[in-house]
Amino acid sequence: MLKKLFFVALLLLCGAANVSAQTMRLATYNIRYDNKQDTTNAWGKRLPYLTDLIKFQDFDLFGTQEVLYNQLQDMAGKLPGYAHIGVGRDDGKQAGEFSAIFYKKDKYKLLKQGTFWLAPNTTAPVKGWDAALPRICTWGQFQDTKTGFTFYMFNTHFDHVGVEARRESAKLILAKVKQMAGTTPAILSGDFNVDQRNESYTLLNTSGVMKDAFTTAKVVYAPNGTFNNFNTKTKTDSRIDHIFLTSAFTPTRYGILTDTYGGGKTPSDHYPVAIEVQYSAKK
């Protein structure tokens, strides 16, 4: 009997030894589209500070919003360690804003990718419900090249006008996560254009599918809200940029990065949200 118990314990220890805790750094960043009326905050002036921030923070993957094709090319040129996925929302190619996902190309293998529109017809560039603009969600299935850990990342930008559109978009994305990822670990990042007190945020956070990393992280650094309108004097607790996680991920750190340059300028009119998560993966 004792020998049998010893053998079982040994098997359990061997199984535990083959599973290790891994760490991943994630972010979501609305970079502000290249608006020619932005003079002091022109894209060309902001670009090097924005990409330097990303490199310094050493994100493994990050979702972006409001990215025009020329900005996508500019960022790719300054971030050679990253590959990216995504399409323009206006034609499914290069027109309109992207919700691109960037990932470290030496660390992750892209298994699948796609984009769906936030509308009853998810396959065409259309506006959904009462939305003012076409809205999309870009997704990728990734695999860690060392451990084989496989996961999904979804990245989106909800409409800024349509209340019904935001509500239905939240329901649609939850359905897509359940349908596509199933029990596979999943991440949802984005600019949701609503804060933590809003109905569509609550739909996501209380769904039982995913939780906002802010609500469960062990260490939280949130000196401000996430939208700054290029004004660092704006003070709010309103968070409209979020990262939601399935239960496979344990957020250890959450931060709203309020970096500035040039005497108080911000790289975007949104502050990026950055998190560190732990997860278990087989060696």
Side-chain angles (χ1 to χ4, degrees):
M1 184 67 179
L2 286 174
K3 285 183 178 180
K4 187 180 289 187
L5 289 172
F6 175 78
F7 183 68
V8 171
L10 188 62
L11 285 176
L12 290 172
L13 284 171
C14 289
N18 288 326
V19 177
S20 62
Q22 302 290 319
T23 299
M24 186 185 297
R25 293 177 60 80
L26 306 166
T28 185
Y29 204 170
N30 181 323
I31 69 163
R32 168 70 171 183
Y33 74 101
D34 184 4
N35 185 340
K36 302 308 177 187
Q37 296 181 356
D38 291 342
T39 53
T40 303
N41 300 299
W43 169 245
K45 296 178 181 177
R46 301 188 286 113
L47 171 64
Y49 298 99
L50 186 145
T51 51
D52 281 352
L53 184 156
I54 291 166
K55 286 185 283 190
F56 180 78
Q57 293 292 335
D58 197 30
F59 302 134
D60 291 309
L61 302 96
F62 62 97
T64 59
Q65 300 85 36
E66 289 196 22
V67 188
L68 298 179
Y69 184 69
N70 68 294
Q71 293 176 289
L72 190 67
Q73 298 302 106
D74 290 342
M75 290 179 67
K78 288 188 172 293
L79 297 169
Y82 292 89
H84 61 269
I85 58 173
V87 298
R89 69 186 185 190
D90 290 353
D91 66 354
K93 298 176 183 177
Q94 296 180 3
E97 295 176 5
F98 289 64
S99 290
I101 298 172
F102 284 75
Y103 62 97
K104 285 184 176 178
K105 57 188 179 184
D106 64 343
K107 190 170 183 178
Y108 302 103
K109 178 182 179 182
L110 177 66
L111 302 179
K112 297 177 185 177
Q113 64 170 304
T115 294
F116 57 87
W117 274 260
L118 303 182
N121 178 4
T122 62
T123 62
V126 294
K127 292 186 285 188
W129 303 286
D130 58 347
L133 297 165
R135 299 289 180 174
I136 56 176
C137 180
T138 289
W139 62 271
Q141 184 188 27
F142 300 92
Q143 185 177 60
D144 188 305
T145 55
K146 287 186 178 179
T147 66
F149 178 74
T150 301
F151 62 96
Y152 281 82
M153 183 166 181
F154 296 78
N155 180 59
T156 192
H157 189 181
F158 279 13
D159 198 66
H160 64 302
V161 173
V163 175
E164 181 187 6
R166 291 193 292 264
R167 179 173 60 247
E168 295 305 317
S169 294
K171 293 177 183 177
L172 174 62
I173 288 178
L174 285 171
K176 288 285 189 181
V177 170
K178 286 189 281 188
Q179 173 195 341
M180 294 167 60
T183 58
T184 305
I187 302 153
L188 169 62
S189 61
D191 172 0
F192 294 83
N193 267 312
V194 294
D195 70 12
Q196 62 272 24
R197 291 171 279 267
N198 187 271
E199 174 193 16
S200 58
Y201 168 91
T202 302
L203 279 169
L204 291 163
N205 198 45
T206 61
S207 64
V209 178
M210 315 184 95
K211 290 284 291 183
D212 181 4
F214 176 92
T215 63
T216 54
K218 296 176 183 177
V219 176
V220 174
Y221 173 70
N224 212 330
T226 61
F227 179 65
N228 61 60
N229 199 28
F230 289 122
N231 181 3
T232 57
K233 294 181 180 178
T234 300
K235 300 298 178 185
T236 176
D237 68 348
S238 178
R239 297 177 285 106
I240 66 172
D241 304 86
H242 309 288
I243 303 176
F244 296 90
L245 306 165
T246 58
S247 60
F249 298 102
T250 301
T252 53
R253 298 196 302 153
Y254 172 104
I256 298 173
L257 309 182
T258 57
D259 300 55
T260 62
Y261 71 96
K265 297 175 185 176
T266 57
S268 174
D269 61 349
H270 287 241
Y271 295 122
V273 173
I275 67 171
E276 187 174 280
V277 301
Q278 288 185 343
Y279 61 94
S280 296
K282 293 182 179 179
K283 289 182 178 178

